[in-house]
Amino acid sequence: MGEPSAQQNKGPDFLAVSLLSTILAALIVILRVYVRIRIKRAYGWDDSMIILSTVFAIIASAFNVLKVNAGFGQHMRYLSPHQRVETLEWLWLSTPFSLLSLAASKVSISVSLLRVLSQTAAKHRRWFLYFIIAQTTIIAVPAVGYAIGQCQPTKKLWDHSVSGYCYNPSIFTKVAYAHGAVNAFCDFALALFPISFIKDLNLEIRKRVALGILMSCGIVCGALAVARAILTRSLLSQEDYTYRIVETAILLLIEVNVSIIVACIPTLRPLVKIFRHQINTGHSNHGWTRNRSVEPEEMNLGIDKPFPLQPVTGAAHTGALRTPPQPTTHPIEWSYSSKTNLVEGTRKAMEFAVYKNESHR
């Protein structure tokens, strides 16, 4: 194996993946909150948990920027002592927030499934979701605690010149293996669990199939967790740490943000329906305007017959119109605009006069 080059730098690629995935996840969470508050008016604890998960992911992404600027992604031998300390400091400080973000997103998915489960006859299955929430919490707490507490004082994690002690790195590797395995199990379980009760929902078969597919996207998170667990062996050695663990760090941050996105996808269906309706309405109105023009006497304002432009006489006066309206010398201007104004250049407006009935004044 050749001598590592000082030009080798994985930092920019890592930073690009970090920023793009975090921004995408944050935007999708904003859309979710909009749907839950403005459209569905059903904001719940699952929404609060996904917001918390996103906040943790943004904090971790901010630390990612700092550690790349310090030298993360480069070979450690080419970093100055100050750069090594600073890079490792931001690396270890970002890790707990990534782990907390993962835990919060899984709790959010579980609470969302509990909400859906309450609408079916399989409410007894909610205990499985409580088990998933407990498992996620039980593995996240020691993983976060050991990540920042494996050295005493904590500063010795990134500055080895500080007096103190650190536990054997193999212990943290075992904790990382356990964390990856439990997260993979929870991801696969949450992805496949909806199949057991979606058939009981009061929805069309097509909608039930679509909902099941959307809720099963967590399989991607499970695959990422498995891949991350396999690469955990890179944590055993401290040699060239700032360069060698970049792939593991990329898998972790992708898993964090994909987990957030997966938790939000099923909640965005109302936005998709509105978007499709707007497109279909725009196309329909555009074609109608091109084929025929609108005349005042043909306009339909929500009734089966054209709007009457002249006073109604005869039997029609019985009921609402007891006295024929008398015209005045002050016409009132009315205007009608077709819905084709959704497409620029096809708007067609007409103005006509109707006479106000002032005989009862």
Side-chain angles (χ1 to χ4, degrees):
M1 185 174 180
E3 186 77 10
S5 171
Q7 303 300 321
Q8 293 177 323
N9 187 1
K10 300 178 183 178
D13 295 336
F14 169 81
L15 187 58
V17 173
S18 175
L19 294 178
L20 289 176
S21 60
T22 304
I23 291 173
L24 178 60
L27 290 176
I28 292 179
V29 169
I30 292 173
L31 292 177
R32 170 185 175 142
V33 173
Y34 175 80
V35 169
R36 303 295 292 175
I37 294 178
R38 297 298 299 273
I39 299 179
K40 303 293 288 186
R41 301 186 184 278
Y43 186 89
W45 281 106
D46 50 342
D47 304 302
S48 298
M49 291 305 299
I50 204 63
I51 291 174
L52 181 63
S53 175
T54 307
V55 171
F56 287 144
I58 291 174
I59 294 174
S61 184
F63 283 133
N64 289 339
V65 174
L66 294 174
K67 69 187 182 188
V68 169
N69 288 338
F72 184 74
Q74 302 179 47
H75 291 286
M76 186 172 283
R77 66 172 64 185
Y78 298 112
L79 300 179
S80 66
H82 174 73
Q83 286 179 310
R84 295 179 186 179
V85 170
E86 190 175 1
T87 301
L88 293 176
E89 178 180 5
W90 298 128
L91 171 63
W92 285 112
L93 290 179
S94 67
T95 302
F97 290 101
S98 297
L99 300 180
L100 290 172
S101 178
L102 272 178
S105 63
K106 286 173 178 52
V107 172
S108 175
I109 295 173
S110 300
V111 175
S112 295
L113 290 175
L114 283 170
R115 185 202 299 264
V116 177
L117 197 62
S118 64
Q119 305 174 22
T120 70
K123 297 180 181 179
H124 60 282
R125 297 175 185 172
R126 65 183 183 273
W127 295 110
F128 177 76
L129 296 174
Y130 291 142
F131 169 75
I132 293 295
I133 293 175
Q135 281 284 94
T136 301
T137 305
I138 289 172
I139 194 61
V141 171
V144 171
Y146 196 82
I148 60 177
Q150 57 183 307
C151 288
Q152 297 297 327
T154 304
K155 187 178 181 180
K156 190 171 177 59
L157 264 174
W158 51 82
D159 188 356
H160 301 308
S161 63
V162 175
S163 58
Y165 66 93
C166 293
Y167 295 107
N168 193 319
S170 63
I171 299 178
F172 180 69
T173 303
K174 294 176 182 178
V175 172
Y177 272 122
H179 183 269
V182 172
N183 272 272
F185 166 77
C186 292
D187 286 327
F188 287 124
L190 291 174
L192 300 177
F193 178 73
I195 298 175
S196 65
F197 66 83
I198 282 182
K199 64 180 184 298
D200 299 326
L201 293 177
N202 188 22
L203 294 173
E204 299 175 5
I205 295 180
R206 178 177 58 84
K207 292 183 178 180
R208 276 182 283 176
V209 172
L211 185 61
I213 293 174
L214 290 176
M215 289 185 169
S216 300
C217 292
I219 293 176
V220 178
C221 297
L224 289 171
V226 171
R228 178 169 60 88
I230 293 174
L231 291 179
T232 298
R233 64 180 181 273
S234 63
L235 303 177
L236 280 171
S237 174
Q238 297 291 319
E239 182 182 355
D240 206 10
Y241 206 71
T242 57
Y243 183 84
R244 195 165 37 81
I245 69 164
V246 172
E247 287 77 12
T248 305
I250 288 177
L251 284 175
L252 176 60
L253 68 89
I254 292 177
E255 183 184 355
V256 166
N257 292 303
V258 169
S259 183
I260 294 173
I261 293 172
V262 166
C264 295
I265 286 177
T267 67
L268 301 181
R269 289 183 65 248
L271 275 184
V272 175
K273 292 172 66 177
I274 292 174
F275 182 69
R276 290 176 58 185
H277 174 73
Q278 292 292 343
I279 291 178
N280 293 336
T281 303
H283 287 172
S284 175
N285 288 335
H286 181 60
W288 172 71
T289 305
R290 290 173 55 188
N291 294 330
R292 66 190 300 266
S293 59
V294 183
E295 300 298 334
E297 61 270 15
E298 295 180 290
M299 289 187 304
N300 192 323
L301 302 182
I303 56 178
D304 294 332
K305 295 182 180 181
F307 187 87
L309 301 181
Q310 299 297 331
V312 181
T313 60
H317 293 299
T318 60
L321 294 177
R322 296 183 178 179
T323 305
Q326 300 297 324
T328 68
T329 58
H330 302 287
I332 302 174
E333 294 288 325
W334 292 77
S335 64
Y336 169 80
S337 299
S338 68
K339 291 183 179 179
T340 54
N341 55 13
L342 291 174
V343 182
E344 186 177 358
T346 62
R347 178 170 181 173
K348 198 169 187 65
M350 285 69 57
E351 295 183 353
F352 56 94
V354 296
Y355 293 96
K356 183 177 181 181
N357 178 11
E358 297 181 348
S359 60
H360 297 290
R361 287 196 170 187

